[in-house]
Amino acid sequence: MKHEQVYFDDILKLINNSKMRILGLVAITTGLEIRFERKLISERSDDSDLKKWEDFKTKDDEETHNIHGGAQEVGKVMEMAEMVIENDQSLEELQEKLDKLLKNLVG
């Protein structure tokens, strides 16, 4: 299925101020340990990234719960999601899940 990928850096602003037709908000979740492992081997990872488990976990807590204000409020957005996709396997498996979801949404 051919589709266009669109990314947003502030999903709450998009939802609250959007004139776009939003088909549904989908949360893509991955366990904290898997995300940490993926970050360690990521090509995008550099020396300034969080490479210690405790630092990574603290940063995740801050972004999920907006502890210091100004964070992405990931937890709030996840609660708003109408659908959840678990991303705990390969990239190909995630793509298959997303393709199936898009087919169901747009027919």
Side-chain angles (χ1 to χ4, degrees), residues 63-74:
E63 290 182 352
T64 299
H65 305 294
N66 196 21
I67 293 171
H68 302 294
Q72 296 183 39
E73 298 187 73
V74 175

Side-chain angles (χ1 to χ4, degrees), residues 6 13 36 47 53-54 57 68 77 82 86 88 95 100:
V6 180
K13 189 180 292 182
F36 181 68
D47 292 337
W53 169 251
E54 286 304 318
K57 188 173 181 317
H68 302 294
V77 174
E82 300 158 28
E86 184 65 34
D88 59 354
Q95 187 64 51
K100 183 177 178 181

Side-chain angles (χ1 to χ4, degrees), residues 34-71:
I34 293 173
R35 287 191 291 121
F36 181 68
E37 290 171 11
R38 289 176 179 172
K39 182 157 186 64
L40 290 177
I41 61 172
S42 171
E43 293 177 7
R44 296 180 298 163
S45 185
D46 63 26
D47 292 337
S48 65
D49 284 336
L50 305 169
K51 301 208 186 242
K52 294 181 183 175
W53 169 251
E54 286 304 318
D55 294 340
F56 183 82
K57 188 173 181 317
T58 299
K59 180 72 171 173
D60 181 76
D61 287 342
E62 290 172 357
E63 290 182 352
T64 299
H65 305 294
N66 196 21
I67 293 171
H68 302 294

